[in-house]
Amino acid sequence: MGNITLHKVSKSFGSSTIIPRIDLDIADAEFVVFVGPSGCGKSTLLRLIAGLEDVSGGTIFIDGKDVTKEAPAKRGLAMVFQSYALYPHMSVRNNIAFPLKMSGEDKAVIDKKVNDAARVLNLTAYLDRRPGQLSGGQRQRVAIGRAIVRQPKAFLFDEPLSNLDAALRGTMRLEISELHHQLNTTMIYVTHDQVEAMTMADKIVVLNAGNIEQVGTPLELYRNPQNLFVAGFIGSPKMNLISGNPASRANAATIGIRPEHINISKSGGDWKGTVSVSEHLGADTFLHVNTEGVGQVTVRADGDIAVEHGETIYLSPDQAKLHRFNAEGRVM
């Protein structure tokens, strides 16, 4: 089992509070992603769960047991870092086996666990190679394999894909998601990339300045952000947030509209604007439009839309998809 509960957990360094008191429940076998901008406290929170940092207040429970004062090795967790942290002079086999050898496992048990992990991660053909002979993605899989053989209650991933190129990150996202389904084990994943969060998570925890802004499934956060921070952070391109007269007419301090929820016309509409930049991505085109009285608006259009720089177009937001926020930035 891998249930993890945080009860009024906080962390301070001297007079600086990094994590105010927070509560969070993570269910067994759930894939939870901590997401937020740099410096929001997501890695610190992960390290508190792992036991690599001492809490300043509150309690951490794993499977109902208070582990707040327990050493990292006794918590039954396995961590995968941004750095692969592999031993360059050891083979892949010995890198994966290292934690088992250190714990005194029987050789036959070690061989079986290493071979099982290698099969799951498609590393069987590379077991006798050294890390320097592998690609970045393969090395990250070795680091994950070293965690798998420990058969932990939960896996903790601290931005494991940051060192990889864009194409490889996409491949590894799929592989880690598939691994979660195969192992059916709790996973907590830290990232600043909301695309990773949206595509991998069962549940997303959005953090800002150490506070939990919102918790929910990817679609819940996308469709129903509870405040301006979540509205502006979740989604790519991000939601258009508009204040001033357009918001006042909607009886709100700020209104939000997703780029795909804006209709485009060349003959007339609610907002008149001039196309400044067109980003053609194949199936989609993102138009950045300078609109009169509204400001710059990003619109998601069909990939083969025929518009040019400097062209005048009209935008009409779908009123049924409009998000309204009050002066405190909370959803109305």
Side-chain angles (χ1 to χ4, degrees):
M1 299 290 286
N3 299 301
I4 299 173
T5 300
L6 308 184
H7 178 66
K8 300 188 185 308
V9 169
S10 65
K11 178 62 179 177
S12 298
F13 293 99
S15 60
S16 299
T17 299
I18 307 302
I19 306 287
R21 299 202 318 174
I22 64 172
D23 297 293
L24 181 66
D25 290 309
I26 297 171
D28 180 47
E30 208 169 27
F31 196 127
V32 177
V33 175
F34 295 168
V35 68
S38 297
C40 71
K42 54 190 182 293
S43 290
T44 299
L45 187 57
L46 192 75
R47 290 173 66 84
L48 292 175
I49 294 171
L52 300 176
E53 296 280 358
D54 294 329
V55 301
S56 300
T59 313
I60 299 174
F61 298 93
I62 298 178
D63 291 339
K65 179 185 176 183
D66 183 352
V67 299
T68 311
K69 302 298 183 182
E70 292 275 13
K74 294 185 177 181
R75 299 192 181 196
L77 307 175
M79 196 158 182
V80 179
F81 297 93
Q82 178 179 342
S83 170
Y84 314 127
L86 302 178
Y87 296 102
H89 63 287
M90 290 185 182
S91 66
V92 168
R93 184 188 306 277
N94 288 333
N95 266 284
I96 295 175
F98 186 78
L100 300 178
K101 291 179 179 178
M102 293 299 292
S103 63
E105 283 275 15
D106 180 77
K107 185 179 185 304
V109 173
I110 291 175
D111 288 344
K112 182 179 186 307
K113 288 184 176 180
V114 169
N115 289 331
D116 288 346
R119 185 175 62 255
V120 168
L121 295 166
N122 296 316
L123 289 171
T124 302
Y126 307 99
L127 284 173
D128 295 321
R129 295 190 186 184
R130 292 187 178 182
Q133 299 172 297
L134 304 178
S135 69
Q138 290 167 338
R139 277 178 277 178
Q140 190 58 273
R141 290 207 298 271
V142 175
I144 295 171
R146 189 170 51 195
I148 287 175
V149 295
R150 296 177 56 194
Q151 297 179 326
K153 296 176 182 177
F155 293 91
L156 310 181
F157 294 91
D158 190 6
E159 303 207 41
L161 308 185
S162 295
N163 291 335
L164 306 180
D165 62 49
L168 197 48
R169 282 202 305 271
T171 300
M172 286 299 299
R173 283 203 305 267
L174 296 176
E175 292 185 0
I176 293 175
S177 296
E178 179 60 28
L179 181 65
H180 173 247
H181 291 298
Q182 289 183 44
L183 300 178
N184 197 34
T185 304
T186 305
M187 292 185 176
I188 305 176
Y189 188 103
V190 164
T191 182
H192 64 276
D193 185 343
Q194 57 89 27
V195 173
E196 286 185 13
M198 291 291 291
T199 55
M200 300 174 73
D202 296 325
K203 182 166 72 180
I204 296 175
V205 179
V206 182
L207 291 159
N208 179 31
N211 294 292
I212 295 177
E213 296 284 351
Q214 190 173 345
V215 178
T217 66
L219 286 181
E220 284 173 350
L221 268 59
Y222 190 80
R223 293 172 177 167
N224 301 298
Q226 295 301 300
N227 56 50
L228 284 173
F229 180 83
V230 177
F233 191 83
I234 296 295
S236 181
K238 67 181 183 179
M239 180 184 291
N240 295 287
L241 298 174
I242 302 161
S243 56
N245 288 333
S248 298
R249 287 196 291 270
N251 297 314
T254 304
I255 56 173
I257 189 72
R258 296 283 181 195
E260 63 269 28
H261 297 151
I262 300 175
N263 298 313
I264 303 170
S265 171
K266 294 188 178 182
S267 58
D270 295 342
W271 302 334
K272 180 180 179 181
T274 303
V275 177
S276 60
V277 177
S278 298
E279 296 180 296
H280 298 283
L281 303 177
D284 297 310
T285 294
F286 296 124
L287 302 177
H288 301 273
V289 184
N290 292 321
T291 57
E292 298 176 2
V294 178
Q296 188 173 86
V297 175
T298 301
V299 187
R300 185 173 189 166
D302 193 71
D304 57 4
I305 187 171
V307 294
E308 298 179 358
H309 172 78
E311 186 173 347
T312 297
I313 61 174
Y314 296 85
L315 308 179
S316 298
D318 182 344
Q319 295 298 316
K321 299 296 178 66
L322 207 63
H323 300 263
R324 296 171 175 82
F325 301 92
N326 62 22
E328 288 72 43
R330 307 295 301 179
V331 71
M332 298 174 62

